[in-house]
């Protein structure tokens, strides 16, 4: 479980996140929603140590990781996929996967598992990542993160700017992964319907503060939409 308690974070003297409390279940999804500029990305970056937490604590499996470097958090089982379908554009799809798998005991098997999970990548192994579509790069980015065998996957708007058919594939993959057990997901997502279907818990962020939270599911959609119109 990932837990954030009273977390304040920001950039230099500018505080963006103000006293956020949040929990991600060990085998489920917590969704964070809110308008642009609400502090969602800053919150995720604080979770993985890319933004300093100035107050509050972040714990993972009961261990305080607040002061740990990002690399130490990765070793403990956190994986982060930022916005923007990031990849090594000059490398092929296969090389993007291999560079993460190198040095891992199950490296080849993990790559094969990712290609089963994202079968659309199989025909793109020799293509440079910079020439892939946005949806294909996002699938590649998630696959690369999963090769690290995380216990907590942190996704920042994984369906942003992607064609609907690929959005559905990514949504189905997230649901499948969490249904297997052993993986928690902290998800920032603009598609409210999907976010609530996937999530056991939701949080609405506004100006760096949680203004609404509760259990996920379709019944929460009206509450979330109301919270986001205030």
């Amino acid at each position: 479980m990932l837990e954030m308690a009273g977390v304040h974070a920001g950039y230099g003297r500018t505080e963006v996140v103000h006293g956020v409390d949040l929990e991600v279940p060990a085998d489920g999804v917590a969704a964070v929603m809110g308008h642009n500029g609400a502090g969602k990305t800053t919150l995720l970056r604080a979770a993985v140590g890319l933004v300093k937490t100035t107050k509050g604590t972040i714990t993972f499996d009961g261990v305080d990781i607040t002061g740990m470097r990002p690399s130490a958090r990765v070793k403990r089982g956190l994986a982060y996929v930022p916005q923007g379908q990031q990849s090594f554009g000059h490398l092929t799809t296969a090389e993007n996967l291999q560079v993460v798998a190198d040095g891992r005991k199950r490296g080849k098997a993990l790559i094969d598992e990712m290609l089963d999970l994202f079968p659309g990548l199989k025909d793109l192994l020799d293509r440079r990542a910079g020439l892939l579509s946005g949806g294909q790069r996002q699938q590649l980015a998630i696959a690369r993160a999963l090769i690290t065998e995380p216990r907590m996957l942190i996704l920042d708007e994984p369906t942003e700017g992607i064609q609907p058919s690929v959005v559905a594939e990514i949504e189905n993959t997230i649901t499948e992964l969490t249904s297997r057990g052993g993986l928690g997901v902290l998800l920032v997502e603009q598609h409210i319907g999907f976010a609530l279907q996937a999530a056991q818990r939701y949080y609405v962020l506004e100006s760096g503060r949680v203004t609404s939270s509760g259990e996920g599911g379709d019944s929460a959609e009206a509450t979330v939409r109301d919270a986001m119109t205030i």
Side-chain angles (χ1 to χ4, degrees), residues 42-97:
T42 301
L43 184 67
L44 297 193
R45 287 171 62 84
V48 294
L50 296 173
V51 172
K52 184 179 180 181
T53 298
T54 55
K55 294 181 184 177
T57 58
I58 303 172
T59 57
F60 183 51
D61 279 350
V63 176
D64 188 343
I65 63 171
T66 311
M68 289 185 182
R69 294 178 180 274
S71 58
R73 302 186 197 204
V74 169
K75 288 181 180 179
R76 286 194 167 271
L78 293 182
Y80 176 47
V81 180
Q83 286 177 285
Q85 305 102 39
Q86 296 186 15
S87 61
F88 298 112
H90 63 290
L91 299 180
T92 66
T93 296
E95 289 168 339
N96 266 272
L97 297 173

Side-chain angles (χ1 to χ4, degrees), residues 195-211:
L196 292 176
Q197 288 175 11
Q200 284 71 51
R201 295 285 302 173
Y202 77 83
Y203 300 85
V204 175
L205 213 62
E206 181 65 35
S207 299
R209 294 178 171 85
V210 174
T211 57

Side-chain angles (χ1 to χ4, degrees), residues 6-148:
V7 167
H8 294 248
Y11 306 90
R13 296 183 179 180
T14 303
E15 188 172 274
V16 178
V17 173
H18 313 283
V20 167
D21 296 324
L22 178 150
E23 291 186 13
V24 186
D27 298 317
V29 180
V32 179
M33 293 164 283
H35 298 296
N36 291 337
K40 305 184 300 296
T41 293
T42 301
L43 184 67
L44 297 193
R45 287 171 62 84
V48 294
L50 296 173
V51 172
K52 184 179 180 181
T53 298
T54 55
K55 294 181 184 177
T57 58
I58 303 172
T59 57
F60 183 51
D61 279 350
V63 176
D64 188 343
I65 63 171
T66 311
M68 289 185 182
R69 294 178 180 274
S71 58
R73 302 186 197 204
V74 169
K75 288 181 180 179
R76 286 194 167 271
L78 293 182
Y80 176 47
V81 180
Q83 286 177 285
Q85 305 102 39
Q86 296 186 15
S87 61
F88 298 112
H90 63 290
L91 299 180
T92 66
T93 296
E95 289 168 339
N96 266 272
L97 297 173
Q98 190 64 53
V99 75
V100 183
D102 279 347
R104 305 191 71 86
K105 292 181 179 179
R106 297 183 58 244
K108 185 180 184 305
L110 289 167
I111 290 176
D112 290 341
E113 288 174 17
M114 292 306 104
L115 294 177
D116 288 339
L117 196 61
F118 298 102
L121 296 178
K122 291 181 179 180
D123 294 331
L124 304 169
L125 291 175
D126 294 328
R127 186 175 300 179
R128 285 195 299 171
L131 300 178
L132 302 180
S133 70
Q136 291 164 345
R137 287 197 305 273
Q138 187 63 285
Q139 290 176 313
L140 177 58
I142 296 172
R144 291 173 66 239
L146 290 171
I147 286 176
T148 68

